[in-house]
Amino acid sequence: MNLRKITALASIVILSLAMVLTGCQAAPSATSAPTATTAPTTAPTSTTAPTPTASVTTDPGTTAAPTATAAPTATTAPTKAPTPKPTATPVPLSGTLISAGSTALQPLAQQAATEFMALHSLVSVTVNGGGSGSGLSQVNSGAIDIGNSDVYASEKLPADAADTLVDHKVCVVGFATVLNPGVTGVTSLTQAQLISIFTGVTTNWNAVGGPDLAIVIINRPASSGTRFTYDKYALNGAVEATGIALTEDSSGTVRSTVASTPGAISYLAFSYLDATVTAIGFNGIAPTADNVKNGTYKIWSFEHMYTKGTPSTLEQAFLNYMVSTTFAPQIIALKYIPISQMTVLTH
Amino acid sequence: MANPPSRKVLGRINLYYWKHENLGRGLVTGFGIFLAGLTLLMAGFLAVKGLSTFLVDHVSPLEFLFSTKWSPDADVPAFGALIFIVGSILISTLALLISTPFSISTAMFVAEISPNLGRKVLQPAIEIFVGIPSVVYGWIGLSVLVPFIRRSFGGLGFSLLAGSLVLALMIFPTITSLAADAFRALPTDFREASYALGATRWQTVRKVLLPAAMPGILTGVVLGLARAFGEALAVQMVIGNMIRIPGKLTDATVNLTSIITMDMGNTATGTPWNDVLWSMALLLLMISFLFILLARTTGQKRRSLK
């Protein structure tokens, strides 16, 4: 009996030790794996570095083709973009694509995946959330094919890792400053006013033409892509004061908190705006898609899809579909802005 | 089983014995070992990820534990987690202070005062409490408690108080069940001896049974505290996640679990920011281990008391 106990105990210890050891080995190898695989991919990326922008501008025009053709090969044929072998072999697209990352881009990517799979019956596209950082780390480690991100990879990943990823800008998303509906009389704020509010200098709405009501700042977490974009373009990179702002995990909770908290101010992507919050202008310009397109409204960013190195034929076909004229109505319906409609591409 | 009906022997293996003893025992042992291994594996994984903050990114453990400066996105990042640690401790302790009197009273009622009503009404009610998902607690807290606190006590509503109240409700069933078990486990002799001395029922419960059941109750309290420490979702929804140490009950604050859930998906693996979140997870695990150890030692005291 005792002997049995001892052997059982010993086996538990040995087994768990072994597991822990493999765990220890697995963890560093996971981090070292990308560096090992970067070697072959760095070469193509450095040469194809300008291509992402090229594909962005050329694709919308060229991809009228996929609508007419049921034969999927036509989709790959017109790509002037970085497909390594631009051969028009009549092989239907097949395979599996896994995409994950930004939750802001997720609904749109999901919609694109559904439609893309309807066009190409042999293709399976999976879209997951997880956050921009998670999407970028996963595409970098090779766990997924496409990493969705609200921000440039260089903002999240170490420089050497970010260099191995190829950026594909798929749409534009605008962000609006939102107020609790109880804050009346404020229809637009200037950059200086916003900076003053978010750094905690202005603390009452009556300083900016509103009622005598304390300002309650509601932030996204410091790692959020939405917050990053807002800080960069609305606050001109001013460091938001910590310790005076509530933080909400997601855009959905930001909206409900702003709607229910008197004096609240926050920021939301256009896709999250509804009647429960008041969206206000920036420097006198209303937060509308048209103002983003013509370049007068400055708070917007690109949504990115990153691939590890040059995209495969399948990846490229999906990326092309995302920016195609076929898909543009869906982008508009979900309150994003197709890149093809932007008259300015820089802030 | 003294005389098994048949004894087929295959080589040196007794097939009957193998089928009716070794197979079942092996299966059960296997699952047990698997689970024990899994726990250790997770602990090991967390340790490797969590320690890389200090070993790879060279963040000083002292800074991590005792600095209130948290600016992971700054040019010169600072990774002081003290605000989150203090937040976790404050919320859990307060939840425990609110919950324990209710739990012990309910346990006394269920086990001693009215076992019949307890079994028929209170016990099922407590079990239902356990089954409610934490997001529901959080949602009710957000839509009922937060506006209530804002109206009654001022402030934003999102507060230490809101978080503690929600948590108190969540750990109430844990403490109550374990405390009730502790009362029920007491020998009937205790009650009879007390009554024989002329004590009333309340005197018996208060002066004899409560002290005798105390180690078991403490086990419940410690496990409740462990749950409170680890709860993420419901608390995060109502505390406001303001990165500062609260000055009063109606101030918003933040805790370890909230900052982990908020930043985990948005930071990239291998960056110092991400590693620090793993370190916080490791800290939570260590605290939880400590609590379990504490619960086990208090439980052992009970055994030695008998």
Side-chain angles (χ1 to χ4, degrees):
Chain A
M1 188 62 198
N2 244 337
L3 193 74
R4 208 178 286 165
K5 265 188 183 170
I6 290 163
T7 36
L9 264 174
S11 56
I12 289 174
V13 171
I14 290 166
L15 200 80
S16 45
L17 262 178
M19 286 168 119
V20 169
L21 275 179
T22 45
C24 292
Q25 281 165 355
S29 70
T31 46
S32 64
T35 44
T37 48
T38 49
T41 44
T42 35
T45 18
S46 53
T47 50
T48 57
T51 46
T53 41
S55 68
V56 161
T57 43
T58 56
D59 288 346
T62 56
T63 40
T67 29
T69 51
T73 43
T75 352
T76 54
T79 50
K80 294 157 191 167
T83 337
K85 282 165 263 168
T87 45
T89 42
V91 180
L93 282 176
S94 64
T96 312
L97 270 186
I98 303 171
S99 167
S102 161
T103 45
L105 187 54
Q106 194 181 359
L108 189 66
Q110 186 60 59
Q111 184 68 31
T114 311
E115 296 188 6
F116 190 71
M117 284 189 282
L119 283 175
H120 307 283
S121 56
L122 297 176
V123 176
S124 155
V125 184
T126 315
V127 178
N128 293 314
S132 299
S134 147
L136 288 169
S137 354
Q138 285 185 72
V139 73
N140 185 44
S141 68
I144 57 173
D145 305 300
I146 296 176
N148 305 333
S149 175
D150 301 333
V151 297
Y152 286 93
S154 53
E155 305 288 356
K156 293 278 182 196
L157 296 174
D160 55 334
D163 285 345
T164 67
L165 301 180
V166 178
D167 183 13
H168 309 271
K169 300 187 179 86
V170 290
C171 67
V172 166
V173 60
F175 296 93
T177 309
V178 291
L179 310 181
N180 178 271
V183 182
T184 51
V186 181
T187 53
S188 177
L189 289 169
T190 64
Q191 184 166 60
Q193 286 171 326
L194 283 175
I195 292 173
S196 176
I197 288 171
F198 277 94
T199 51
V201 178
T202 303
T203 54
N204 195 304
W205 283 112
N206 60 19
V208 291
D212 180 17
L213 186 66
I215 295 176
V216 179
I217 304 167
I218 294 163
N219 256 337
R220 292 293 305 284
S223 54
S224 144
T226 302
R227 173 159 164 185
F228 180 86
T229 306
Y230 193 80
D231 283 2
K232 189 170 175 185
Y233 299 113
L235 308 180
N236 199 22
V239 178
E240 292 183 36
T242 48
I244 58 161
L246 299 177
T247 315
E248 289 298 333
D249 196 14
S250 68
S251 294
T253 47
V254 163
R255 186 174 58 196
S256 60
T257 308
V258 170
S260 65
T261 308
I265 181 171
S266 189
Y267 38 85
L268 285 172
F270 286 1
S271 44
Y272 280 95
L273 297 179
D274 68 7
T276 62
V277 293
T278 312
I280 60 161
F282 177 62
N283 287 337
I285 310 287
T288 63
D290 285 337
N291 288 339
V292 172
K293 287 177 204 167
N294 64 28
T296 49
Y297 186 83
K298 300 288 183 193
I299 316 171
W300 57 269
S301 71
F302 289 108
E303 287 291 346
H304 308 261
M305 285 190 165
Y306 278 93
T307 52
K308 181 86 175 170
T310 315
S312 68
T313 315
L314 178 60
E315 286 163 8
Q316 188 62 53
F318 180 68
L319 293 167
N320 286 349
Y321 186 76
M322 282 292 297
V323 294
S324 68
T325 44
T326 325
F327 190 60
Q330 296 293 342
I331 296 184
I332 296 163
L334 289 167
K335 293 186 187 167
Y336 300 85
I337 301 159
I339 291 174
S340 54
Q341 296 185 359
M342 295 292 289
T343 49
V344 286
L345 285 173
T346 51
H347 284 77
Chain B
M1 288 298 150
N3 284 316
S6 67
R7 281 177 169 277
K8 280 185 191 166
V9 178
L10 185 78
R12 288 181 57 219
I13 302 166
N14 182 332
L15 272 183
Y16 180 87
Y17 194 71
W18 162 250
K19 193 173 161 193
H20 294 271
E21 168 66 19
N22 290 7
L23 188 64
R25 200 188 66 200
L27 211 64
V28 173
T29 315
F31 279 121
I33 291 174
F34 174 75
L35 262 180
L38 203 64
T39 314
L40 280 170
L41 190 72
M42 279 174 62
F45 180 73
L46 264 181
V48 169
K49 296 286 273 182
L51 289 176
S52 62
T53 305
F54 313 114
L55 302 177
V56 181
D57 306 317
H58 304 293
V59 174
S60 141
L62 290 177
E63 183 201 333
F64 174 72
L65 285 175
F66 299 112
S67 161
T68 56
K69 196 163 162 42
W70 172 256
S71 47
D73 51 342
D75 294 331
V76 184
F79 298 108
L82 186 65
I83 292 177
F84 311 110
I85 298 169
V86 169
S88 279
I89 292 172
L90 280 179
I91 294 169
S92 314
T93 315
L94 212 61
L96 208 62
L97 287 180
I98 298 168
S99 194
T100 308
F102 282 99
S103 300
I104 296 179
S105 311
T106 313
M108 277 179 185
F109 184 82
V110 168
E112 301 298 332
I113 311 289
S114 178
N116 202 22
L117 190 67
R119 196 165 43 246
K120 277 185 187 150
V121 180
L122 274 167
Q123 201 72 34
I126 292 165
E127 278 158 17
I128 286 170
F129 267 126
V130 179
I132 297 175
S134 60
V135 65
V136 174
Y137 283 108
W139 193 244
I140 292 172
L142 185 64
S143 47
V144 180
L145 198 59
V146 166
F148 174 76
I149 291 175
R150 182 162 58 224
R151 276 198 305 274
S152 318
F153 303 102
L156 300 170
F158 294 96
S159 56
L160 179 59
L161 183 64
S164 305
L165 284 173
V166 167
L167 261 189
L169 197 61
M170 293 182 76
I171 61 175
F172 166 77
T174 309
I175 305 179
T176 307
S177 314
L178 283 161
D181 284 347
F183 278 115
R184 288 197 194 103
L186 295 176
T188 325
D189 308 1
F190 284 21
R191 297 177 188 89
E192 284 166 357
S194 179
Y195 291 142
L197 289 170
T200 62
R201 186 160 68 168
W202 173 246
Q203 282 174 325
T204 307
V205 171
R206 168 73 188 79
K207 298 276 172 63
V208 177
L209 301 180
L210 183 63
M214 200 44 95
I217 294 171
L218 283 180
T219 306
V221 169
V222 171
L223 288 179
L225 192 60
R227 163 135 207 230
F229 234 89
E231 173 54 38
L233 192 60
V235 179
Q236 191 213 321
M237 287 168 86
V238 299
I239 58 169
N241 309 308
M242 192 180 280
I243 301 177
R244 66 161 183 204
I245 292 174
K248 52 184 190 295
L249 280 177
T250 51
D251 278 355
T253 185
V254 66
N255 68 354
L256 284 168
T257 46
S258 295
I259 194 75
I260 294 175
T261 51
M262 285 195 303
D263 279 342
M264 196 53 104
N266 287 324
T267 53
T269 317
T271 54
W273 193 347
N274 191 269
D275 288 343
V276 169
L277 299 178
W278 283 108
S279 303
M280 290 182 194
L282 179 65
L283 187 67
L284 277 174
L285 185 79
M286 280 159 59
I287 292 169
S288 151
F289 276 171
L290 190 78
F291 283 149
I292 288 164
L293 208 69
L294 214 66
R296 288 190 72 89
T297 43
T298 48
Q300 265 156 12
K301 250 180 235 155
R302 175 173 58 173
R303 244 163 271 144
S304 60
L305 191 97
K306 271 188 196 170

